Amino acid sequence: VDMAIGGGVNAVQLREKGLAGGPLLELARGLRRVTDGRALLFINERVDVAVACGADGVQLGEDGLPAEAARRVAGPGLLIGRSVHTAKGAVTAEQRGADFLLVGTVFTTRSHSGGQSAGTVLLAEVAGHVTIPFAGIGGITSDNVDQVMEAGATGAAVIRAILGADDP
């Protein structure tokens, strides 16, 4: 994570679905020390852990906790992200209080190999319907990130392009 931030990453998401609360909090605290003052830290789904470790925000799945409920728990200081897969989902997420969106799956990816990729058409549709920032996610690499940005996304979320790199 330290190397990735040094290379330009400006936000990190901790996504460990199988980790119990205690160990997850310890991992989150360690990441907060690495990201503090250098990159935003988001915790996947766990508002309690996000608040407890001093994260910048929480990333909620499309079927996760409603943004309004997360806001009641966390207060106004925590950024709330929502994953969406349609323009309608994006509009709903914005109306319900999400601060930003992760939109995808844009391109085919090994982590969602059985799913359908929407392409940059989805990003353009979302750009035409919401005012909050959003990043494309899914199969994004250095070879196609320009397409993501040209379609109207304000950022790109990558996993394998960093984790699989010899030099993150």
Side-chain angles (χ1 to χ4, degrees):
V1 171
D2 183 60
M3 290 174 65
I5 294 170
V9 166
N10 60 11
V12 173
Q13 179 182 341
L14 174 56
R15 186 175 186 259
E16 288 289 343
K17 293 181 178 185
L19 207 53
L24 182 63
L25 177 58
E26 288 309 307
L27 180 57
R29 285 178 174 155
L31 283 174
R32 176 75 290 181
R33 286 190 292 275
V34 173
T35 60
D36 198 23
R38 301 173 61 211
L40 298 175
L41 176 62
F42 296 92
I43 309 300
N44 191 69
E45 295 286 347
R46 296 289 304 264
V47 179
D48 57 338
V49 173
V51 171
C53 78
D56 300 290
V58 63
Q59 177 62 32
L60 304 172
E62 191 163 43
D63 296 324
L65 188 67
E68 311 95 321
R71 180 76 61 217
R72 280 194 298 275
V73 171
L78 199 70
L79 293 169
I80 297 176
R82 170 72 72 196
S83 296
V84 298
H85 301 92
T86 64
K88 181 180 179 185
V91 169
T92 300
E94 181 176 39
Q95 289 171 343
R96 294 188 176 164
D99 295 307
F100 68 94
L101 307 170
L102 288 183
V103 180
T105 302
V106 179
F107 302 109
T108 303
T109 176
R110 287 187 298 179
S111 62
H112 291 90
S113 57
Q116 182 108 352
S117 58
T120 57
V121 170
L122 173 60
L123 301 176
E125 288 176 12
V126 170
H129 289 89
V130 301
T131 60
I132 59 176
F134 68 93
I137 189 169
I140 298 172
T141 67
S142 59
D143 294 330
N144 60 25
V145 69
D146 288 344
Q147 295 173 50
V148 171
M149 302 308 289
E150 288 167 6
T154 52
V158 296
I159 300 170
R160 291 198 198 288
I162 291 176
L163 294 181
D166 291 333
D167 181 355

